[in-house]
Amino acid sequence: MSVSEDDHRGLLIVYATETGNAQDAADYIARQCRRIAFQCRVVNIDSFLLPDLLSETIVIFVVSTTGSGVEPRSMTPLWTSLLRGDLPTDTFEDLYFSVFGLGDTAYEKFCWAAKKLSRRLESIGGIEFYMRGEGDEQHPLGIDGALQPWTDGLINKLLEVAPLPPGEEIKPINDVPLPRVLLKDTSKTALNHSADPLKSDLQYHKAIVKKNDRITAADWYQDVRHLVFDFQDNIQYSPGDVAVIHPVALEHDVDAFLVTMSWQNIADEPFEIEQAMYDQSLPDHLPPITTLRTLFTRFLDFNAVPRRSFFQYLRYFTSDEREQEKLDEFLSAAGADELYEYCYRVRRTIHEVLSEFRHVKIPKGYIFDVFPPLRPREFSIASSIKTHLHQIHLCVAIVKYRTKLKIPRKGVCTYYLSILKPGDTLLVGIRRGLLRLPGKNDTPVIFIGPGTGIAPMRSAIEQRIANGCHENTLYFGCRSASKDQHYGSEWQAYAANQELKYRSAFSRDGVEGEARVYVQDLIRQDSERIWDLVGHHKAWVLVSGSSNKMPAAVKDAVAYAVEKYGGLSAEEAKEYVHLMVKEGRLIEECWS
């Protein structure tokens, strides 16, 4: 690899993400590359087009994967352009690239989007100058388990390609990096006149809570809510789309955190935010003038389990020798197991860590470097606009659990939703989802949505029935018919009207000692009908729910039907199902 003098200190880092992890990883890579005097730019792939790539020399892609090996939605326009058949094989002959993928080995197609991007860029002339990295959420240290060693290798490779300029030295890792913002004190009058960017975002709409009903039995271990939001705006969405909600931290939690940080006396003093490091991101919809209380209520997450880089910042900002020794141990290669035991295995939060490292004093200007963004959450819409005009329904499992330290935990966003009351207002965004319906109304659809995976299926089924489509089959699975059969009465009513064939599996209601029955077992039982729908009538199959073993087991069950009644070999049946995925007739939207 060789690059020109004009280009060899410039580096573009492009991230594509659904959850924000790729953005965090891109920020980390940029910080490390700055240590070797590279000029970094970090951009979201949704603002990046194919012609932009032609003018770049060295590009690092940080790409997450969604669903069944699908690229993030923000990446789709660029990915579609890259797949054009008329692109010459030397299109990117001057492009040197590397890819870091983010994934989860609980998914069948681990880091698939990163692998596809790497192969495609090479096929049209790009040169992969450094090996692809693959971060796994299942690693004891999460994505950091692969990201940090991969980045160390990247730094070494970049130094081979472009040695440090005369007079420059590698900045030691223990040198405190410059903060990404400058904070300037301002007046309360300026604060009162500061606009809230979320309120001016046309993708968000004012919602009024109409219902917030628990739909699991009162004595059931899991609290699942049916939420109904009313809108005055003429909102539009399609089955499979998602509602985007910005969580709000509880007031008493914020107060307790501010006390821990000794910021309670300055929590309401306004300041202006000026970005200093443009290769480092800031939270979405951040107002230009704000306060610490507002930031930790809406924009910065002190309840998250910290990443390894968080402990590096603690090392910068503690004056206590024992804390320094402990942090040095956590950050060493030999201390990875101890860091895992202390933090990740027991899911210790940022607030809890800071409560124990009492001598850490984080300068106010470093808050965006130390604390991760409190990112918006996405929930599959569980209603059709044709059936519920000016409304969005959600089906949300409220996250509650106890850690290995027996400390109760609650999901920040789901708990926020759980305490909403009729009449409360919030802003809700609408974003395109992965699932979609066939263009022809007479195409049969097989819906598979166990648990809260039923949410997008309810939206699609309501839409189909409103359009007069009655070739619908729903496979729903839960533990108990009487405890957590979400929307069971609706499915039974549709079935009685011959608008839906409803098949349900209740895994804990069977006779003790007998094998439990899941949705994939029902599909195998119905294999003759499944082949008739899929093989003869070209039915679509939509799958939503947990990514553990269910999606792969469902595809195996469909392949079984194809083999048994379609007259194909086992290998041909698997290829048939693979072709359904490729054609878009089998679509998954699953999560870990």
Side-chain angles (χ1 to χ4, degrees):
M1 173 180 174
S2 62
V3 293
S4 72
E5 281 293 316
D6 292 336
D7 293 330
H8 74 182
R9 304 309 301 175
L11 179 67
L12 177 68
I13 304 172
V14 182
Y15 66 87
T17 187
E18 295 283 349
T19 63
N21 279 346
Q23 186 175 356
D24 291 343
D27 284 347
Y28 173 78
I29 294 168
R31 286 198 301 273
Q32 300 310 307
C33 290
R34 206 186 311 134
R35 290 177 50 231
I36 57 171
F38 265 83
Q39 302 300 314
C40 301
R41 291 179 294 133
V42 178
V43 299
N44 191 328
I45 203 166
D46 64 4
S47 62
F48 208 69
L49 301 174
L50 183 64
D52 298 325
L53 267 183
L54 295 172
S55 61
E56 300 295 336
T57 302
I58 306 176
V59 181
I60 309 298
F61 293 92
V62 186
V63 180
S64 62
T65 297
T66 65
S68 180
V70 179
E71 75 280 356
R73 281 161 287 197
S74 59
M75 180 177 165
T76 299
L78 178 62
W79 180 240
T80 302
S81 298
L82 288 172
L83 291 179
R84 279 171 34 195
D86 60 346
L87 290 179
T89 56
D90 61 352
T91 299
F92 292 118
E93 62 180 352
D94 296 322
L95 176 69
Y96 297 91
F97 75 92
S98 185
V99 180
F100 186 83
L102 289 83
D104 188 323
T105 47
Y107 286 74
E108 183 182 6
K109 294 186 175 179
F110 172 62
C111 286
W112 208 249
K115 293 172 182 176
K116 291 193 296 185
L117 176 63
S118 178
R119 288 196 295 265
R120 180 54 180 162
L121 288 173
E122 279 197 306
S123 73
I124 48 179
I127 300 168
E128 190 169 35
F129 76 94
Y130 180 60
M131 63 179 185
R132 184 180 65 249
E134 297 178 353
D136 181 9
E137 288 285 2
Q138 297 298 317
H139 188 282
L141 298 180
I143 295 298
D144 287 343
L147 175 63
Q148 299 206 347
W150 182 86
T151 305
D152 290 344
L154 173 70
I155 295 299
N156 291 333
K157 186 67 177 178
L158 288 172
L159 285 172
E160 289 179 20
V161 171
L164 285 167
E168 289 280 0
E169 295 182 352
I170 299 176
K171 295 181 178 62
I173 197 159
N174 286 330
D175 279 9
V176 183
L178 295 172
R180 67 185 70 188
V181 299
L182 299 175
L183 303 182
K184 300 178 180 179
D185 292 341
T186 188
S187 66
K188 290 197 174 182
T189 300
L191 175 65
N192 293 335
H193 287 89
S194 177
D196 184 344
L198 191 62
K199 292 181 179 178
S200 60
D201 188 335
L202 298 179
Q203 299 299 313
Y204 285 80
H205 309 270
K206 182 180 178 181
I208 303 171
V209 179
K210 183 177 182 181
K211 289 184 179 179
N212 187 354
D213 298 335
R214 177 170 176 144
I215 57 174
T216 46
D219 61 348
W220 192 239
Y221 77 99
Q222 188 175 47
D223 180 0
V224 176
R225 299 298 180 93
H226 174 68
L227 293 116
V228 177
F229 300 121
D230 282 337
F231 296 82
Q232 291 183 342
D233 292 351
N234 184 29
I235 58 170
Q236 298 295 322
Y237 58 87
S238 301
D241 287 355
V242 298
V244 184
I245 295 176
H246 287 254
V248 176
L250 295 177
E251 183 178 347
H252 63 79
D253 287 349
V254 175
D255 288 341
F257 171 75
L258 292 170
V259 169
T260 297
M261 299 301 296
S262 300
W263 286 340
Q264 67 271 28
N265 293 331
I266 61 170
D268 298 303
E269 294 179 1
F271 51 81
E272 184 178 353
I273 301 169
E274 179 183 316
Q275 189 163 4
M277 291 291 175
Y278 286 92
D279 63 350
Q280 300 289 282
S281 61
L282 293 176
D284 290 340
H285 300 96
L286 186 68
I289 299 175
T290 187
T291 66
L292 285 173
R293 188 182 305 280
T294 298
L295 285 177
F296 286 103
T297 300
R298 294 179 50 197
F299 297 101
L300 295 174
D301 193 353
F302 56 87
N303 284 311
V305 176
R307 298 186 61 176
R308 188 172 180 270
S309 57
F310 168 81
F311 291 94
Q312 181 64 62
Y313 275 101
L314 298 197
R315 178 63 180 82
Y316 296 145
F317 300 132
T318 181
S319 57
D320 183 77
E321 187 175 331
R322 285 177 298 179
E323 289 184 354
Q324 291 171 355
E325 290 175 358
K326 175 57 70 176
L327 291 165
D328 284 339
E329 188 174 354
F330 283 165
L331 294 166
S332 69
D337 289 344
E338 186 169 351
L339 178 59
Y340 170 72
E341 289 296 324
Y342 171 76
C343 185
Y344 302 110
R345 188 179 74 85
V346 297
R347 300 192 62 77
R348 205 181 296 267
T349 68
I350 287 173
H351 187 186
E352 289 166 346
V353 172
L354 288 168
S355 297
E356 296 191 358
F357 285 80
R358 296 180 178 275
H359 294 86
V360 170
K361 300 298 179 186
I362 298 169
K364 193 170 72 169
Y366 278 88
I367 53 177
F368 294 104
D369 303 278
V370 175
F371 299 98
L374 183 57
R375 289 193 169 91
R377 307 306 201 258
E378 295 185 354
F379 299 92
S380 295
I381 296 175
S383 54
S384 165
I385 199 71
K386 289 198 168 187
T387 306
H388 306 283
L389 192 64
H390 299 299
Q391 284 189 346
I392 283 178
H393 297 190
L394 301 181
C395 178
V396 177
I398 308 304
V399 178
K400 292 180 182 178
Y401 64 97
R402 286 186 178 273
T403 69
K404 293 184 182 295
L405 296 176
K406 307 302 181 185
I407 299 173
R409 288 275 192 271
K410 50 184 179 286
V412 176
C413 194
T414 61
Y415 187 75
Y416 163 65
L417 290 175
S418 75
I419 61 176
L420 290 174
K421 302 181 297 296
D424 286 346
T425 62
L426 67 159
L427 291 171
V428 177
I430 300 172
R431 191 170 294 167
R432 178 78 182 272
L434 296 174
L435 294 180
R436 66 184 188 280
L437 288 171
K440 294 182 179 180
N441 287 338
D442 58 352
T443 301
V445 179
I446 302 167
F447 301 94
I448 301 148
T452 54
I454 197 62
M457 305 308 178
R458 184 174 185 261
S459 176
I461 290 168
E462 286 186 346
Q463 182 103 339
R464 294 262 297 173
I465 291 174
N467 287 337
C469 312
H470 297 162
E471 290 297 324
N472 308 302
T473 302
L474 171 63
Y475 288 90
F476 173 75
C478 63
R479 295 193 174 197
S480 169
S482 61
K483 303 290 187 180
D484 61 337
Q485 187 182 183
H486 310 327
Y487 309 111
S489 60
E490 294 182 17
W491 313 134
Q492 290 157 9
Y494 288 142
N497 292 334
Q498 297 186 334
E499 297 166 320
L500 173 76
K501 183 172 180 61
Y502 179 43
R503 295 281 280 141
S504 52
F506 308 116
S507 61
R508 302 301 191 269
D509 284 352
V511 177
E512 188 173 350
E514 292 186 357
R516 292 172 177 172
V517 178
Y518 301 98
V519 288
Q520 57 265 30
D521 301 312
L522 297 183
I523 293 170
R524 284 178 177 267
Q525 292 174 19
D526 299 344
S527 55
E528 184 172 6
R529 182 171 184 271
I530 293 295
W531 167 247
D532 182 58
L533 290 171
V534 167
H536 297 144
H537 299 284
K538 302 304 177 186
W540 284 34
V541 178
L542 305 185
V543 185
S544 178
S546 171
S547 69
N548 46 31
K549 298 178 181 178
M550 184 272 295
V554 163
K555 284 187 283 192
D556 286 345
V558 175
Y560 173 78
V562 172
E563 178 187 356
K564 185 172 183 180
Y565 291 99
L568 278 66
S569 68
E571 195 59 38
E572 289 170 336
K574 287 184 178 179
E575 181 57 32
Y576 186 95
V577 173
H578 176 71
L579 186 61
M580 288 180 65
V581 174
K582 192 172 181 180
E583 292 174 343
R585 287 175 54 208
L586 195 158
I587 307 173
E588 297 175 43
E589 183 168 82
C590 300
W591 55 87
S592 58

